[in-house]
Each structure stands twice: as structure tokens, then as C-alpha cells.
Amino acid sequence: MASPSTTSDSAVSFASLGIDAKLCDACTKLNFSTPTDIQREAIPWALKGRDIIGLAKTGSGKTAAFALPILHALWQKPHKLFACIMAPTRELAYQIAEVFNSLGEDMGVRCVTIVGGVDLMTQAIALSRQPHIVIATPGRLEYHLENTKGFSLRRIKYLVLDEADQLLNLDFGPTIVSILDHLNKDRVTFLFSATMTARVAKLQNASLKDPVKIEVATNLIQHYTFFPFKYKDCYLVHFLNEFTGQSAITFVRSCGEVNRLTHLLRHLRIPAVGLFGKMPMEKRSAALEKFKKGKRSVLVATDIASRGLDIPHVDVVLNYDLPKNSKEYIHRVGRTARAGRSGKSISFVTQYDIELYQRIEFALGKKLKEFKVESATVLRLQESVREAQRMAVLHLKEDRDPSRGDVADQKKLMMLNKVARKLSRKSKQTAPA
């Protein structure tokens, strides 16, 4: 496919891509100095009015890649209800809205964010005021299209499906099809996805007309390290010590492991904060802010952190638990090496993870390089890690209030007590005479 731009990379600016001067000034204010790869490739096609399918991960600058052409077109021909952007999560919807509001501030752009968990009447009133841009999660958008009097997207000029693979993984497929029936056929459509799955390909065929396909390479180095399961915590602490001063996300499979490892790392004076789906929104936001601002260098998280969150810079991704879905691996490691930066990922493989790891290599179509570690160096941490494990279990036990728990909670509490006693005995047995 021929590139629409003949400008050399070294001379590329937003102005050279054809973006209006007012928007270029907004980019300067936001420290968007030069276009990222996805912006450089997508913006010229978007300005030509072409449908686009872009394969790019979160952090590659894809929000501005579709926001700038939309705002440019809106500035040229002002129109109410100009564009609709669909996102899979509330967090991503709010982040997209922030970009549109920041870039379009001097243009007087009005954006409305329509997501679940917000009063329906308040949203209906906001929609009745004819905003220029609607950013929404599919379920809530479908509700308003079918139930809010006077709200219609029949005349919109642009539709964006962001994180399309996650939209479909969350079973929004039927909802999206329903929404497409409410739209006009003459719109321009942008579809962005981290991976090109069969379901994304079907959505592309159903919603795009003769699209330009753009795929952006990354500077990501992927490793694995193999060791016995019983030393898993020791290896985690070793790697985080090795990467002191760098930001790292440690992915685990369950909320319980997030809590346990966060307590364990804090006991070892490693600044960690946890993040998982069942946390109240205020605590999730607070945890994310601490990590983004560098107050905590380690984020221990479930797959909620693998996509849809705006985390500007992550140096290292550690897959403490391998994901059961190979596609989720791609999203996890995509948290690093963003916006042209380099980054690395290390996946922990024990004797119980070999099949999962082989699936990941098969999905990637290549072998990962082994990250070799001197086991003797790691095992020197055993005593301090054991004590931290014991303290983490005690913290978890204290966090539970037996008077409020049900039978299942009581059983879990008894199990935690048993584990704490066992770890305490082990610690005494291995202590020097």
C-alpha cells in the first residue's frame, strides 16, 4: 500500500500532515511535539475521508490519530452531533473525552460522555443540548438511541470503534450491530484494535467501506524465564529489585493475588499499589494516579490494566501469572514500548505453565528469548521473602471482619490462619541458630 504522505520522518509535523493551525497550536500546548507512527500514517488518510482500520496498542497515540482529523473536519464545517466514539470501558471513554476537550478547547467543542453508572436523565438532558462529539460505551448508547426522545445519530459524519477486539470480547457484538442500524451509511468510520481477530474482521466487513489498513510496529523485547513454582515470589522480588527506579506492571490472575503480592512487596519496601476490577471506582482512580505520577513504581494488577487505561510510560511488564487467553498476553505486553519508546516484558513460566506458554508462542508465531538468571542469587532472598509472605497473609486476615462475613468468608479466614501458622513454622525452622 502506498503512503499518502511523501514528507520525510525527520520533517513531519502536524502542520505538514494537513492539520489546521488552531489544532496545531493545541498540540503544542499539550506537548504533542511530533506525530507518533500511527498518527503519521493515519491522519493523511483520515483527512482524505477514507475509512481506516488501525492495528495499534493503547499508548501509541491512536486517540489523537482519530481526534485530530475529526476536529479538523468539524472546524471546516461546523455541525451538531458530528461524531460518535465507542469505547469498551468507562475509563477509556473518559480518557478519550479528555483528549477531545483538550484539543478542541479553543474551538468551543462540546463533548458528552455516555457510560453506565451515571443517571440516565442527566445524560438525556446533556444529549438534548446537541453536543458535537458523543463518547460512549455501547450498552448505554444503545439505551439512549432506543429510549431518549429526540436523540439520533442519523446525521453524524464520523464513527470510531476504539479497542474493537475488547468491544467484541466483552460480547458487545449484538449491541454494536444494533447501533449500526441507527447510523447513516455515508459516514466515515475508523476502527482501531490491538489485534486482528476473526471477529474484528467481521466487524470491519460490516461497518467499513474500502478501508485503508495501517499497522504500527513496536520496540518491545519479549522474554520468558523458567523456574520451579515454589520460588515464584522470590523471582518476582528479584526482578523488581533489578528494575529499581523503573516503572513496572505485574500482572496476576486474581484479585486475591493482587492483595497478597501488594502487601508482600510493601513489607519488603518495594513501593507497590494494587488494581483490580472489584475495587470501588474512587480507589481504582487513586491507585492509578499514584502509579502514573510515580508515587508507586510497581502496579500489581489483574487484566483490567491490560488495556483501556491511559498510563503514559511503563518500562517493564512482568507476567507473574500467564494469561489463559493468548490474545490477552498481547494486550498485557502492550502496556510497555508505547509511543515509540522501547520496553521489555518477562513472562514467568513454571512447570505448571508450559502448555499456556506454548499457546502464547504459537499465537505470536515466534520463540521468545530466555531471560537467564543465576538461581543462587535469587534464592538468597528466600528468608526475607518467607517472612514477607507470612506478614502478607496476616494483613489479609486483619482486612477481613468475621462479624460481617458469610460462611464462605469464615472458611477463607480459617484457611488464612492455617497458612500463616505454616509460614511461621517454616520461618522458625530456617532461621539461623
Side-chain angles (χ1 to χ4, degrees):
M1 178 189 71
S3 171
S5 174
T6 57
T7 311
S8 65
D9 289 357
S10 59
V12 167
S13 66
F14 288 106
S16 70
L17 295 178
I19 293 298
D20 186 270
K22 186 176 286 289
L23 285 171
C24 290
D25 291 341
C27 289
T28 302
K29 289 179 184 178
L30 295 174
N31 295 320
F32 293 177
S33 54
T34 56
T36 64
D37 289 344
I38 188 64
Q39 291 163 5
R40 188 168 58 246
E41 295 295 326
I43 288 174
W45 288 115
L47 293 178
K48 289 175 180 285
R50 292 289 299 275
D51 284 9
I52 292 172
I53 176 164
L55 299 180
K57 61 189 179 180
T58 303
S60 59
K62 61 182 174 58
T63 303
F66 59 75
L68 285 169
I70 289 173
L71 291 173
H72 175 93
L74 177 61
W75 181 249
Q76 302 296 318
K77 292 184 179 180
H79 190 283
K80 294 176 182 178
L81 279 174
F82 193 71
C84 176
I85 293 88
M86 276 192 275
T89 65
R90 301 175 193 178
E91 292 90 349
L92 182 55
Y94 283 122
Q95 286 162 21
I96 293 170
E98 186 178 346
V99 173
F100 269 97
N101 284 322
S102 299
L103 288 172
E105 183 178 9
D106 293 338
M107 295 169 51
V109 171
R110 298 191 309 277
C111 298
V112 169
T113 306
I114 303 298
V115 297
V118 179
D119 178 64
L120 288 165
M121 184 57 68
T122 301
Q123 291 179 342
I125 293 171
L127 290 171
S128 71
R129 292 172 180 160
Q130 298 288 296
H132 300 108
I133 313 291
V134 174
I135 301 110
T137 49
R140 186 54 65 97
L141 179 61
E142 182 186 35
Y143 173 88
H144 283 290
L145 283 169
E146 294 180 350
N147 298 281
T148 298
K149 188 176 180 180
F151 173 55
S152 170
L153 294 177
R154 289 287 178 194
R155 299 178 64 192
I156 65 164
K157 304 299 182 183
Y158 289 87
L159 171 68
V160 180
L161 300 166
D162 198 12
E163 300 283 2
D165 50 351
Q166 190 181 9
L167 282 169
L168 297 174
N169 285 342
L170 294 173
D171 293 329
F172 282 129
T175 304
I176 293 172
V177 171
S178 172
I179 291 170
L180 291 175
D181 288 339
H182 289 268
L183 307 180
N184 60 308
K185 304 293 183 183
D186 296 329
R187 67 181 186 272
V188 176
T189 305
F190 303 147
L191 185 153
F192 286 88
S193 178
T195 57
M196 189 63 185
T197 65
R199 296 169 82 182
V200 172
K202 287 182 179 179
L203 180 58
Q204 170 195 332
N205 294 334
S207 59
L208 280 73
K209 307 184 297 290
D210 188 27
V212 176
K213 186 176 180 181
I214 298 169
E215 189 166 3
V216 177
T218 64
N219 301 315
L220 172 63
I221 302 172
Q222 302 175 67
H223 297 276
Y224 78 93
T225 185
F226 183 74
F227 52 80
F229 175 81
K230 62 180 178 180
Y231 300 132
K232 205 170 183 180
D233 288 350
C234 289
Y235 273 80
L236 175 62
V237 173
H238 168 78
F239 278 115
L240 292 176
N241 284 335
E242 287 293 303
F243 298 128
T244 297
Q246 300 184 53
S247 58
I249 299 182
T250 300
F251 282 105
V252 299
R253 202 171 288 148
S254 69
C255 305
E257 277 294 81
V258 170
N259 284 327
R260 186 185 73 83
L261 287 177
T262 303
H263 284 306
L264 183 150
L265 295 174
R266 287 176 182 169
H267 182 76
L268 294 169
R269 300 185 183 279
I270 296 175
V273 65
L275 184 72
F276 54 87
K278 293 182 180 178
M279 290 175 71
M281 184 60 71
E282 307 79 42
K283 288 188 176 181
R284 280 164 61 174
S285 299
L288 196 57
E289 279 302 300
K290 286 179 182 177
F291 183 67
K292 288 168 68 173
K293 292 181 178 179
K295 295 179 181 178
R296 299 287 187 275
S297 61
V298 179
L299 180 67
V300 183
T302 58
D303 284 322
I304 189 176
S306 66
R307 46 187 162 174
L309 298 180
D310 180 23
I311 305 174
H313 184 50
V314 177
D315 296 300
V316 185
V317 166
L318 298 175
N319 284 308
Y320 179 90
D321 292 325
L322 291 181
K324 293 183 178 179
N325 185 332
S326 300
K327 293 185 181 69
E328 201 59 52
Y329 169 87
I330 296 171
H331 291 290
R332 286 185 179 187
V333 299
R335 297 311 316 187
T336 186
R338 302 167 65 201
R341 299 186 183 97
S342 60
K344 66 164 61 76
S345 68
I346 303 173
S347 294
F348 291 7
V349 184
T350 73
Q351 66 269 34
Y352 305 117
D353 303 311
I354 293 174
E355 185 179 348
L356 285 176
Y357 176 71
Q358 288 174 335
R359 288 181 196 167
I360 289 170
E361 282 196 332
F362 179 79
L364 294 174
K366 66 178 181 179
K367 297 282 186 182
L368 301 189
K369 186 177 181 180
E370 183 177 7
F371 197 108
K372 295 185 178 179
V373 180
E374 287 290 334
S375 60
T377 303
V378 177
L379 297 184
R380 292 194 192 107
L381 297 167
Q382 270 188 288
E383 187 174 338
S384 58
V385 169
R386 257 194 211 123
E387 176 61 17
Q389 288 172 329
R390 186 179 72 84
M391 294 303 297
V393 171
L394 289 174
H395 273 294
L396 291 174
K397 182 183 71 172
E398 290 170 3
D399 287 344
R400 292 177 177 275
D401 182 355
S403 64
R404 292 185 303 178
D406 55 15
V407 175
D409 287 332
Q410 296 284 358
K411 288 181 179 178
K412 288 178 183 177
L413 183 59
M414 291 172 63
M415 185 176 293
L416 287 170
N417 277 319
K418 185 176 179 181
V419 172
R421 288 195 298 270
K422 186 176 180 180
L423 288 172
S424 179
R425 286 198 299 271
K426 281 187 177 180
S427 181
K428 290 177 182 178
Q429 290 170 2
T430 56

